Amino acid sequence: MSEKLINIESFHPLDIFGANDQNLEVVRNYFPRLKIVARDNYVKAFGEESDLLEFEEKFNLLLLHFEKFGRLNKTDISLMLNPGSSGVLAPEGQNDVLVHGKNGLLIRARTANQRKLVESSLKNDLVFAIGPAGTGKTYTAVAMAVRALKNKEIQRIILTRPAVEAGENLGFLPGDLKEKLDPYMQPLYDALGDMLPTQKLLQYIEERVIEIAPLAFMRGRTLNNAFAILDEAQNTTPSQLKMFLTRMGASAKFIVTGDITQIDLPKNQTSGLLHSQKILNNIPGIDFVYLDKSDIIRHKLVSRIIDAYSHDN
């Protein structure tokens, strides 16, 4: 008996094996003469050499499919494992890669609602993306902004968020202003770090082509030819959100992201994001896209944690 080891460390195991290993079960059914074992970042198969060669070829096709389209489900696997199949399937309604990131990383809308967000932003100048943690709201928005910058559709990217829940009171924190702000802005730096080479990102920040700043710094400005993203908008007040939205200048795109289940404002303070849903919902050129637990692409436990908290309320 021979064995074959396939390393999948470039992928998240959940993306390849599926929830509860349901994708892997489909593969096992197509190779009944092989013993197939999945452990963390590798797949090991035991059996006759001829079967192992076919298994390796087909499994690599599955990896290529996911790398190209960001999707792998039981239907895809069944179609690709059928006799006569030798290529990668194009999913219905596929979107192109948003950004070619660092180290060959292909950044794309990976779920149906993320694709809705991309499509909505192409049609509307102001889009609200609302959903729980881990659904890729901010990451997808930043990818669209980077793509627009690379395509010279805009001249600069503005990324902002409330620096501290509700009040933006930074004085009690140690260090200079940048040191006070950086911990609150880190998720935005992290997203950009996946999409741009380090030196290019630093150059853009130095030249203010990319600006990352707390919401209070937006007051009095007009953002022309810009792609502006307001993150954590659930922690803005109505007046703060209005201030940001009215910064929109000529040839600008705005995306507002937030999670209405994690509002950190005082109980007597209305969230600007909740308020905007009531008064801006039917205005042409403005769209609301809602993401849910099906869009969560973090660890599989995140979805279960969100479920548990929602049932506790």
Side-chain angles (χ1 to χ4, degrees):
M1 179 178 289
S2 302
E3 68 177 64
K4 181 69 66 175
L5 180 70
I6 299 177
N7 194 316
I8 64 163
E9 63 182 7
S10 320
F11 306 88
H12 193 295
L14 181 63
D15 292 329
I16 306 303
F17 302 148
N20 300 316
D21 287 347
Q22 59 183 3
N23 289 351
L24 196 61
E25 282 304 311
V26 178
V27 175
R28 286 176 175 139
N29 289 338
Y30 275 88
F31 294 96
R33 292 185 294 184
L34 296 179
K35 179 182 179 182
I36 300 172
V37 179
R39 289 288 185 272
D40 298 324
N41 292 321
Y42 66 85
V43 178
K44 186 178 287 188
F46 303 86
E48 297 299 322
E49 189 65 29
S50 59
D51 293 327
L52 289 173
L53 288 174
E54 182 185 1
F55 167 75
E56 181 180 32
E57 178 187 353
K58 290 292 188 179
F59 199 86
N60 283 331
L61 281 178
L62 302 184
L63 297 179
L64 179 61
H65 176 87
F66 181 82
E67 184 177 25
K68 190 170 183 181
F69 300 118
R71 187 191 86 173
L72 186 65
N73 58 37
K74 292 189 291 185
T75 301
D76 297 333
I77 295 169
S78 295
L79 289 171
M80 282 189 285
L81 293 183
N82 273 328
S85 175
S86 59
V88 177
L89 302 172
E92 186 177 346
Q94 83 177 69
N95 281 278
D96 292 334
V97 172
L98 294 174
V99 179
H100 291 269
K102 290 167 59 176
N103 302 318
L105 180 65
L106 300 179
I107 298 169
R108 65 175 72 248
R110 295 174 58 184
T111 70
N113 288 324
Q114 287 177 11
R115 288 191 285 272
K116 284 183 184 178
L117 175 56
V118 173
E119 292 162 4
S120 179
S121 183
L122 293 174
K123 298 174 185 175
N124 301 281
D125 287 337
L126 172 58
V127 180
F128 290 79
I130 300 174
T135 52
K137 308 178 296 295
T138 303
Y139 198 82
T140 304
V142 171
M144 287 189 286
V146 171
R147 181 179 69 173
L149 181 64
K150 287 185 172 182
N151 292 343
K152 302 188 185 305
E153 297 166 10
I154 47 100
Q155 295 176 356
R156 55 184 172 152
I157 296 173
I158 310 292
L159 305 176
T160 186
R161 60 185 344 208
V164 179
E165 297 81 2
E168 300 190 54
N169 298 313
L170 301 170
F172 70 93
L173 293 173
D176 60 22
L177 183 59
K178 185 178 187 304
E179 291 170 333
K180 294 172 189 284
L181 292 173
D182 276 354
Y184 297 98
M185 304 298 150
Q186 194 60 48
L188 302 175
Y189 285 110
D190 289 344
L192 288 168
D194 282 351
M195 301 172 197
L196 292 166
T198 302
Q199 289 305 314
K200 192 67 173 177
L201 175 56
L202 292 174
Q203 177 189 341
Y204 279 152
I205 292 174
E206 183 178 349
E207 296 174 353
R208 299 180 69 81
V209 174
I210 294 178
E211 183 179 349
I212 304 175
L215 181 59
F217 285 30
M218 297 298 109
R219 192 172 299 277
R221 303 179 60 183
T222 301
L223 305 179
N224 295 318
N225 299 303
F227 201 121
I229 299 170
L230 170 59
D231 193 30
E232 298 287 337
Q234 75 275 6
N235 289 328
T236 63
T237 65
S239 61
Q240 285 175 323
L241 186 52
K242 177 185 174 184
M243 180 272 290
F244 172 76
L245 297 179
T246 53
R247 301 308 93 201
M248 182 180 283
S251 302
K253 284 274 189 185
F254 275 38
I255 294 183
V256 176
T257 71
D259 177 0
I260 56 177
T261 69
Q262 293 191 23
I263 297 172
D264 299 310
L265 295 167
K267 293 185 183 298
N268 62 350
Q269 179 65 68
T270 300
S271 165
L273 188 56
L274 289 175
H275 181 252
S276 70
Q277 289 179 281
K278 297 177 182 178
I279 67 170
L280 300 178
N281 202 29
N282 296 311
I283 297 178
I286 300 176
D287 192 23
F288 286 79
V289 176
Y290 293 91
L291 299 95
D292 56 41
K293 67 177 184 178
S294 68
D295 301 293
I296 292 173
I297 53 177
R298 293 181 183 169
H299 193 286
K300 60 186 178 183
L301 285 179
V302 174
S303 180
R304 298 172 189 172
I305 290 166
I306 289 172
D307 260 349
Y309 275 95
S310 65
H311 293 148
D312 189 53
N313 293 331

